[in-house]
Amino acid sequence: NNNNNNNDENDNNNNNNTSNLTNILNSLNESYLQENNSSKTAFQTQTQIVSSTDLKLHYTIRIPYQLTVPNIYCAGCQKLVSIPQKKDLQNKSIRFCFYTGKYFCTDCHRNDMRPLPSNVVQKWDFSGEPVCVLAKEFIDDLMNLPCISIKDVSKNLIASHKTLRRLLRFRNQFSMQKEFILKCKPETMNILMSIIGPNMFLIGSDTFIWTFDSLIRAKKEKFLIEMSDIVQKLKKHITEDCKLCYSNGSICGAVKIGKCLSKHSSEPIFPFVLDKCLSCSKCGVLFHPKCLASLKQCPQCNMKQIVEEEKKL
């Protein structure tokens, strides 16, 4: 019996010890959490870092956001910066980068102003925005690379900016002229290269891709003058100086059916001479503008339709 009583007492003691230990641990844990939470409240910080995606070409417009913590880590050097209570987001100790969309210290953000691809493509706005040192260097490296796409520029934006319309028209003309040059003698490529000079990106097949520098110069109309000169020189080569290029011109589509209204019906027409040539929107056959306007239907499209109907019979 004595042994049983001793065992019961030991079990009770063990249970009490376990319970006491659990209480102590819970107490310590609560104390730690309270201490940690109070530390967080007194020293709240916001962590941010510049990622590889921040320094890729993008067309997203970045807007400064309200900082709700008293401290923030610089997205560049990760230095802890205390944010003044003033609401000015461009204050002396912390600065917002309009390209990366993050905040930086004054060592990593020197208020360098750069035009942003997003503003150019979406608003045709070349005024500079404050960017961090990393973004400034990245945008500077973009300047002469054929990487800015204006494919998604809205029709309203094009309609409201004459410079942009002229730029696209010149590029379209050059693209058509390039096809003639590629069919010309090999040495003609040297002529093309000398004409376009430093604007080698024009050789690319995508007419919507430009260099940032060319768009900036177009805004100031310098590049428009260059493009006009390029188009005129290539036009002269194709339509006057080179017999091979001239022979690759097209005869008006109305000639085949005897309905050409031009006095020079036997002479070739060229798609890049926009005031003297129009193409069928469906098949691409070229016409004099008056000839196409006088026809109810494109002869080639009409013939194709007749053939398809006969096949069904």
Side-chain angles (χ1 to χ4, degrees):
N1 290 333
N2 287 334
N3 287 334
N4 288 335
N5 290 333
N6 287 334
N7 288 334
D8 290 340
E9 287 178 6
N10 288 334
D11 288 340
N12 289 332
N13 288 334
N14 287 334
N15 288 333
N16 289 333
N17 288 337
T18 301
S19 179
N20 289 335
L21 182 59
T22 301
N23 290 334
I24 291 171
L25 288 173
N26 287 337
S27 177
L28 287 172
N29 191 39
E30 287 177 10
S31 175
Y32 169 77
L33 289 173
Q34 289 176 359
E35 212 174 339
N36 194 37
N37 286 336
S38 64
S39 174
K40 283 184 178 179
T41 303
F43 195 65
Q44 290 178 333
T45 60
Q46 182 172 330
T47 303
Q48 51 170 10
I49 189 169
V50 176
S51 64
S52 58
T53 56
D54 292 320
L55 290 178
K56 285 184 178 179
L57 177 65
H58 67 78
Y59 302 113
T60 304
I61 295 177
R62 310 291 193 187
I63 300 174
Y65 54 91
Q66 184 67 44
L67 296 171
T68 58
V69 293
N71 308 283
I72 191 170
Y73 287 103
C74 168
C77 66
Q78 293 297 292
K79 180 172 68 177
L80 188 64
V81 182
S82 296
I83 303 169
Q85 297 304 310
K86 297 178 180 179
K87 293 182 179 180
D88 181 15
L89 296 176
Q90 290 299 113
N91 57 57
K92 294 182 180 180
S93 62
I94 195 77
R95 292 169 180 168
F96 183 77
C97 172
F98 281 79
Y99 190 77
T100 63
K102 291 182 168 62
Y103 286 93
F104 294 80
C105 69
T106 54
D107 291 327
C108 296
H109 192 320
R110 299 169 187 168
N111 274 334
D112 294 300
M113 305 291 285
R114 289 294 184 275
L116 304 180
S118 57
N119 288 346
V120 170
V121 171
Q122 296 187 43
K123 300 186 289 185
W124 199 240
D125 178 10
F126 291 81
S127 58
E129 297 282 7
V131 296
C132 67
V133 174
L134 287 172
K136 175 192 74 95
E137 294 173 351
F138 177 74
I139 292 172
D140 287 346
D141 288 339
L142 285 181
M143 282 297 169
N144 293 306
L145 296 177
C147 59
I148 306 297
S149 174
I150 57 175
K151 188 174 184 177
D152 297 324
V153 171
S154 69
K155 292 182 179 179
N156 291 336
L157 190 63
I158 295 173
S160 60
H161 290 85
K162 184 179 178 180
T163 298
L164 186 52
R165 294 197 303 275
R166 291 180 63 198
L167 191 65
L168 293 174
R169 185 172 70 251
F170 283 141
R171 183 68 182 272
N172 185 43
Q173 287 178 284
F174 175 83
S175 180
M176 291 184 284
Q177 291 173 332
K178 184 184 68 174
E179 297 304 313
F180 283 83
I181 300 299
L182 292 176
K183 295 175 184 176
C184 194
K185 299 174 184 177
E187 55 265 28
T188 307
M189 283 302 294
N190 295 328
I191 298 174
L192 177 63
M193 297 301 177
S194 64
I195 289 175
I196 64 176
N199 303 303
M200 295 299 295
F201 73 92
L202 293 172
I203 297 295
S205 58
D206 192 337
T207 58
F208 290 100
I209 298 296
W210 302 77
T211 65
F212 207 176
D213 176 67
S214 67
L215 293 178
I216 292 172
R217 287 187 288 127
K219 177 70 173 180
K220 299 176 181 178
E221 298 201 354
K222 291 181 180 179
F223 188 58
L224 287 176
I225 296 172
E226 291 179 38
M227 281 297 295
S228 177
D229 185 56
I230 290 171
V231 167
Q232 290 304 316
K233 286 180 178 179
L234 289 179
K235 177 185 175 183
K236 185 176 184 299
H237 169 83
I238 296 168
T239 62
E240 298 178 24
D241 299 341
C242 179
K243 291 182 179 180
L244 179 57
C245 286
Y246 183 80
S247 66
N248 285 325
S250 301
I251 298 299
C252 175
V255 171
K256 292 181 180 180
I257 58 174
K259 292 185 178 182
C260 181
L261 302 178
S262 174
K263 295 179 181 179
H264 309 286
S265 58
S266 61
E267 296 181 4
I269 53 178
F270 303 88
F272 52 82
V273 185
L274 303 181
D275 59 334
K276 294 182 179 181
C277 182
L278 288 176
S279 63
C280 172
S281 59
K282 293 182 179 180
C283 68
V285 170
L286 301 181
F287 297 87
H288 295 105
K290 289 182 179 180
C291 297
L292 184 59
S294 67
L295 297 172
K296 293 181 179 180
Q297 188 176 9
C298 166
Q300 181 159 312
C301 291
N302 185 43
M303 181 59 67
K304 184 178 179 181
Q305 184 178 347
I306 293 173
V307 171
E308 288 177 352
E309 289 176 354
E310 288 177 350
K311 286 181 179 179
K312 294 177 181 179
L313 298 176

